[in-house]
Amino acid sequence: MSASTTHNPGHRRTWLQIAIYGAVCLTIFLVPTILDNDFLLNKYSRYLVFGILAIALSLSWGYCGILNLGQAASFGLGCYCMAMALKLRTVPVHTGDDGLPDFMVWNNVTELPWFWVPFHSLPFALFAGIAVPTVLAALVGWFMFRARITGVYVAIITLASLVVVNLLIIDQQRYTGGFNGITDLAQLELFGLTFDAYSRNSYYLVASVLAACLFAALAITKSKTGLILQAIRDHEDRVRYFGYDVAHYKIFAFSASAAIAGIAGMLYTIVMEFASPTFLDVPLSLSVVIWCAVGGRQSLLGAALGAIVVTGTQGALSDSGIFLQSWTLLMGMIFVASVLFLPKGLAGLAELAGERLRRLGRDTPPPVKTDVLGPVREGEGLA
Amino acid sequence: MTGYLALDEVSVSFDGFRAVDGLSFSVEEGELRCLIGPNGAGKSTALDMICGKVRPTAGTIFLQGRALNRLEEHEIARAGIGRKFQVPSVFRELTVRQNLDVAHSRQVGVWANIARFGHHADRDGLEKLAELVGLEDRLEVPAGHLSHGQTQWLEIAMLVAQDPRVILMDEPTAGMTVQETRKTADLFNRLKGKHTLIVVEHDMGFIKEIGDVISVMHQGRLLAEGSVGEIEQHAEVRAAYLGSGGISGA
């Protein structure tokens, strides 16, 4: 009998992963204890929200090979659901007669539209912020994956869906605030706590949700369903002949990813104190792909850290006087370099370092053949 | 049509070319049927039609009297058909253990599988299976790092893990050494009876070791059917395929 009955390396790896994920989450939680600056905490909360968004894409792209370029649509719908609820809770001085949102008054809307009415209830808004993006993704996914659309066509369809949602929101100014978005929001009050954007409460809220999403996504990837998603990424057709309905699995990954993106969107509204069509535009959607590529799309934590590092660097560069003009160029170079030299992103680098350390620890060096196909397969994923 | 698995006047055309043309044959439960024929005879296409990869343009395929034509690939798999492809098809980025786990598909639903962790429902079984095909030391190795012969065996092991009623094998010994081929023949003889097998092969030595009944295909049609001895004596088969030397000489 092989030795693996006594110690299964797969399980050891899982526990190590849980420990590392936990340690990172703990570090994130400890930031406010050493940093007493509400402005910076707000900025960091924003980066963490992007981290959640990257986890969402890692789940669909990294684990199931679905390159979703419309991730910002799910994110933005979450943003707007939260903004609608918070708008209706604004103190009357900011809204028109009978609690009608101010921009509706300016647009000569006299009555609250039917789809705004349920947002008086906060629980409904929280539900909608997850359900609306999930149902939309399931619908788009149903059409795409039943028809066995793959690869670059998925990227095109998702990107097009994003543009449609974006245009719809900009066009329906009477109901959505159009270009201006929804501003002048109340602060979220939940469980007797007030979540001021510039406060520890909000930071802890975002950090907790990040941890929850990270571990929930990890649980999915460690389940048999997660294994089948990876098998689909690897060789979709082969999976069918074992009796799995590939479309079901893809719709699941696509929708679960949208749910997480919707949650991130709701948090973003809380942190930014407004919702805007720029929260669901193409540049943001493409940025998520870059974060995942830099951090390592096949690692949930890698993707999250990729988002935090890239947006953090972006923030720092654009703030500094020297790089005021050239920071986008610099970011582009970092992206190109990471795609060329780190096909598995920062997570791949960490894994390589871990492997080296382990080999130094033991004196038996098993010649682990590095996957020479790595960069090529990466290219296939994009195509 | 009678028989456990039966093809009834099945045809398929690709751009006007009839790859399979009115093919009929049936296989009994627990039988190991060899399917031979020259290149382009339509052997692989016949397997493709049984597992749903290719839809017949005419005719019907029955498994225990149930028509498979209208089912999707995964439904055909659930009905009890497993397929090994000519080009070894495994999940190259997943480890050998994960490959076997995926193949072990008692539960096929998303929600049924989401609460299943560790996948050690049948861990001992999977490890015994890996031992059977000599991959017990390579369980944690990505399948992409295996040699060609090992990849072939991994896919065969995956089919055993899937445990379908009917196993379709497309050139299982291609690229294997003589010893590996012999070991595969042993394995197939053990699978016979428990599973119904259809094996497409070119290696006549291998066929002699495993085959009961041989079906010979030629130009998309069934040319002959019978035991090794009968096929060797069959004049048309000799002309079309085997040459004057018979099976032993091929």
Side-chain angles (χ1 to χ4, degrees):
Chain A
M1 203 72 228
S2 67
S4 49
T5 30
T6 45
H7 65 99
N8 179 343
H11 288 201
R12 209 173 47 205
R13 199 184 136 84
T14 304
W15 286 113
L16 183 71
Q17 223 169 347
I18 291 174
I20 294 173
Y21 279 41
V24 170
C25 289
L26 193 67
T27 313
I28 291 172
F29 272 106
L30 289 178
V31 168
T33 58
I34 51 162
L35 186 82
D36 193 19
N37 181 334
D38 287 340
F39 176 75
L40 280 181
L41 278 183
N42 175 263
K43 204 154 119 179
Y44 294 162
S45 309
R46 251 165 50 212
Y47 302 155
L48 295 184
V49 170
F50 290 141
I52 302 173
L53 190 53
I55 292 170
L57 186 65
S58 170
L59 193 61
S60 72
W61 184 33
Y63 279 87
C64 196
I66 304 165
L67 178 51
N68 180 2
L69 292 186
Q71 196 80 57
S74 311
F75 181 75
L77 287 171
C79 286
Y80 272 84
C81 285
M82 180 56 86
M84 284 160 82
L86 295 182
K87 185 70 188 167
L88 292 176
R89 298 179 158 240
T90 320
V91 277
V93 70
H94 288 127
T95 51
D97 302 332
D98 312 319
L100 205 60
D102 46 11
F103 67 86
M104 289 190 189
V105 179
W106 305 332
N107 285 290
N108 299 323
V109 177
T110 51
E111 206 181 322
L112 196 65
W114 61 267
F115 62 90
W116 269 77
V117 175
F119 284 88
H120 277 296
S121 149
L122 188 61
F124 175 84
L126 295 179
F127 169 75
I130 300 172
V132 171
T134 307
V135 168
L136 184 72
L139 210 67
V140 174
W142 192 84
F143 281 111
M144 281 197 302
F145 302 131
R146 299 290 325 163
R148 298 198 183 171
I149 290 167
T150 55
V152 71
Y153 301 101
V154 170
I156 292 169
I157 290 172
T158 50
L159 192 67
S161 314
L162 165 68
V163 173
V164 168
V165 175
N166 184 289
L167 288 178
L168 207 65
I169 285 182
I170 292 175
D171 184 61
Q172 295 298 311
Q173 190 175 358
R174 292 150 54 87
Y175 306 122
T176 62
F179 265 119
N180 305 319
I182 303 177
T183 51
D184 266 327
L185 303 181
Q187 284 169 355
L188 176 70
E189 281 174 47
L190 205 63
F191 311 122
L193 293 169
T194 305
F195 294 96
D196 180 347
Y198 294 89
S199 73
R200 285 180 181 201
N201 275 1
S202 293
Y203 181 88
Y204 283 128
L205 174 70
V206 174
S208 313
V209 175
L210 172 75
C213 288
L214 197 55
F215 279 98
L218 185 67
I220 291 176
T221 61
K222 291 291 171 193
S223 72
K224 175 112 185 212
T225 295
L227 180 65
I228 293 158
L229 293 181
Q230 293 169 68
I232 291 171
R233 176 192 70 200
D234 211 349
H235 199 331
E236 177 171 334
D237 286 328
R238 190 70 188 93
V239 177
R240 293 185 216 282
Y241 299 105
F242 288 121
Y244 302 105
D245 188 340
V246 168
H248 278 183
Y249 280 85
K250 284 187 146 186
I251 293 168
F252 167 76
F254 194 62
S255 309
S257 166
I260 296 175
I263 293 171
M266 288 196 281
L267 291 172
Y268 202 58
T269 296
I270 296 167
V271 174
M272 296 298 282
E273 299 187 293
F274 70 101
S276 146
T278 57
F279 296 175
L280 36 70
D281 64 0
V282 174
L284 176 70
S285 221
L286 298 182
S287 300
V288 190
V289 176
I290 294 177
W291 304 335
C292 285
V294 170
R297 66 188 165 101
Q298 294 188 7
S299 159
L300 298 162
L301 184 65
L305 291 179
I308 295 168
V309 167
V310 171
T311 51
T313 316
Q314 230 163 11
L317 286 179
S318 57
D319 281 349
S320 77
I322 317 165
F323 297 109
L324 200 59
Q325 305 295 326
S326 57
W327 67 270
T328 41
L329 194 71
L330 238 104
M331 292 317 299
M333 276 155 60
I334 292 174
F335 175 58
V336 171
S338 71
V339 167
L340 283 180
F341 302 112
L342 292 174
K344 286 186 171 177
L346 298 174
L349 198 66
E351 202 158 306
L352 208 68
E355 191 68 39
R356 288 268 158 82
L357 272 176
R358 251 212 324 277
R359 240 185 287 170
L360 279 177
R362 291 175 304 184
D363 25 356
T364 47
V368 176
K369 201 166 61 174
T370 48
D371 190 3
V372 284
L373 286 173
V376 182
R377 308 204 122 240
E378 209 73 12
E380 281 172 7
L382 269 162
Chain B
M1 281 303 275
T2 54
Y4 189 67
L5 176 76
L7 280 70
D8 183 17
E9 289 292 319
V10 177
S11 302
V12 69
S13 325
F14 303 116
D15 299 322
F17 166 68
R18 287 180 91 81
V20 171
D21 190 7
L23 177 68
S24 295
F25 72 89
S26 71
V27 181
E28 295 307 318
E29 184 167 10
E31 188 186 338
L32 191 158
R33 172 70 56 95
C34 289
L35 200 55
I36 66 171
N39 285 331
K43 308 179 297 286
S44 290
T45 310
L47 296 194
D48 283 347
M49 286 191 293
I50 298 171
C51 76
K53 192 177 182 213
V54 169
R55 308 251 148 216
T57 39
T60 317
I61 297 164
F62 297 97
L63 178 66
Q64 289 184 298
R66 179 188 177 195
L68 298 179
N69 298 42
R70 299 227 168 271
L71 301 180
E72 285 194 53
E73 293 99 313
H74 66 268
E75 292 169 323
I76 293 175
R78 287 179 202 176
I81 307 267
R83 169 80 188 266
K84 189 209 162 297
F85 290 88
Q86 188 172 356
V87 178
S89 298
V90 298
F91 306 109
R92 299 176 58 83
E93 286 181 32
L94 305 185
T95 64
V96 170
R97 181 193 295 278
Q98 289 176 320
N99 268 279
L100 293 172
D101 267 329
V102 172
H104 184 79
S105 50
R106 289 295 161 284
Q107 295 282 349
V108 287
V110 176
W111 302 110
N113 282 327
I114 194 124
R116 293 183 63 212
F117 294 100
H119 331 306
H120 38 203
D122 193 20
R123 212 167 97 189
D124 287 348
L126 289 191
E127 274 164 14
K128 278 204 192 91
L129 187 57
E131 226 168 324
L132 188 70
V133 293
L135 291 172
E136 70 272 20
D137 294 331
R138 316 225 70 192
L139 275 170
E140 311 306 329
V141 174
H145 295 177
L146 297 178
S147 72
H148 185 77
Q150 285 175 325
T151 313
Q152 291 274 39
W153 262 339
L154 173 58
E155 198 180 1
I156 293 170
M158 285 163 80
L159 277 162
V160 178
Q162 183 188 357
D163 195 24
R165 288 184 282 177
V166 178
I167 301 181
L168 311 173
M169 295 276 189
D170 205 344
E171 301 203 18
T173 67
M176 282 190 182
T177 63
V178 178
Q179 290 94 325
E180 285 173 332
T181 303
R182 183 155 306 136
K183 215 174 143 185
T184 309
D186 288 345
L187 178 62
F188 278 32
N189 281 324
R190 281 159 76 175
L191 293 177
K192 190 155 59 175
K194 188 165 172 275
H195 301 271
T196 307
L197 289 99
I198 300 179
V199 182
V200 167
E201 254 301 343
H202 280 299
D203 185 333
M204 289 303 166
F206 181 69
I207 287 171
K208 277 184 158 176
E209 278 191 55
I210 60 165
D212 304 324
V213 180
I214 299 175
S215 297
V216 186
M217 280 184 75
H218 184 52
Q219 291 178 348
R221 266 187 287 259
L222 191 68
L223 184 67
E225 204 167 87
S227 67
V228 175
E230 287 164 3
I231 294 297
E232 274 185 310
Q233 299 310 316
H234 200 284
E236 279 178 76
V237 174
R238 293 171 75 117
Y241 182 37
L242 294 171
S244 50
I247 283 184
S248 47

